[in-house]
Amino acid sequence: MRVCRVSVEDELAYGVVEGDAVALLAGHPFGEFAPDGRVLRLADVRLVAPVLPSKVIAVGRNYADHARELGNTVPGEPMVFLKPSTAVIGPGEPIALPWQSEQVEHEAELAVVIGRLCRDVPEERVAEVVFGYTCANDVTARDLQKTDGQWGRAKGFDTFCPLGPWIQTELDVDEAAITCSVNGQVRQSGSGAEMVRTVAELVSWISSVMTLLPGDVILTGTPAGVGRIVAGDEVSVAIDGIGTLTNPVVDRE
Ligand code: ZN
């Protein structure tokens, strides 16, 4: 099932994508819901970020080839950081480049969407708390990441967390090819199978640190090939089995 959030006539609603149609839902996809009878053409709705997380937890250096390209080693334990919920934008919304950075880069990532309040989840029960998966771009001001030490600013600017286009509730992560294209040229190409730590390991480990709430999002790291984006670019994160998340890049006003 592909669960989207759409803006229809000034109303925000959840829906289920089937082919080129969207069946709108009454209720909430994390709880009780049912089709409300309205079916719209996908082309006629504006998709917004499929989830509003209380927090976005991101994992650094979870692909060995990406760790290497930045001169880093894979850490002995997962390396996590937070992106503010206010960084989240949806498909088609512009990534705004802040004046403070000269080197803003794309990072294509598989995002895990949590469906239930949970903590201390054993690996074998992680499937029970995962609602689904979506595409993410962990936009990063690489220069500030290096000079700041802390990553809060480099990863936390408004618009630095595009999510979408929708949440796929069934996905074989090991079979999920992940690519990032800029203006149609492929820059990153990887697979969920290359993750150093699996989704089950990451969710279990993170939930031993902090309580996860429904809608929280975990970014699972990026494959090699990160690079700069500039105003006028169009950047797309595509994941097999989910879809494509595309955002234009503009200078922040
Ligand atoms: Zn990342």
Side-chain angles (χ1 to χ4, degrees), residues 107 109 138 155:
E107 292 189 1
E109 309 204 6
D138 176 19
K155 300 277 193 177

Side-chain angles (χ1 to χ4, degrees), residues 58-60 81 107 109 138 140 155 219 221-222:
V59 179
F81 56 94
E107 292 189 1
E109 309 204 6
D138 176 19
T140 302
K155 300 277 193 177
L219 308 188
T222 199

Side-chain angles (χ1 to χ4, degrees), residues 58-62 66 81 83 106-109 137-140 142 145 151 155 188 219-223 226:
V59 179
R61 301 175 196 167
N62 200 35
H66 168 65
F81 56 94
K83 287 172 85 79
H106 55 80
E107 292 189 1
E109 309 204 6
N137 194 338
D138 176 19
V139 181
T140 302
R142 194 72 66 203
Q145 185 186 23
W151 298 1
K155 300 277 193 177
Q188 293 182 269
L219 308 188
T220 55
T222 199
V226 299

Side-chain angles (χ1 to χ4, degrees), residues 18-128:
E18 283 157 1
D20 55 6
V22 179
L24 299 186
L25 301 179
H28 196 286
F30 297 164
E32 299 284 307
F33 66 89
D36 76 356
R38 290 181 291 172
V39 178
L40 303 169
R41 274 163 32 107
L42 188 55
D44 292 341
V45 300
R46 186 169 71 85
L47 294 170
V48 299
V51 64
L52 293 176
S54 81
K55 56 187 172 294
V56 177
I57 307 108
V59 179
R61 301 175 196 167
N62 200 35
Y63 288 77
D65 54 353
H66 168 65
R68 247 187 323 269
E69 76 177 340
L70 295 183
N72 298 312
T73 52
V74 173
E77 284 204 279
M79 182 180 182
V80 299
F81 56 94
L82 294 170
K83 287 172 85 79
S85 58
T86 43
V88 171
I89 58 172
E93 290 187 69
I95 297 166
L97 304 177
W99 59 265
Q100 294 95 330
S101 173
E102 297 293 320
Q103 183 75 24
V104 174
E105 298 191 351
H106 55 80
E107 292 189 1
E109 309 204 6
L110 175 72
V112 179
V113 180
I114 299 296
R116 287 171 49 182
L117 185 148
C118 60
R119 64 173 180 168
D120 294 328
V121 183
E123 284 177 30
E124 60 273 18
R125 296 192 63 185
V126 163
E128 297 171 34

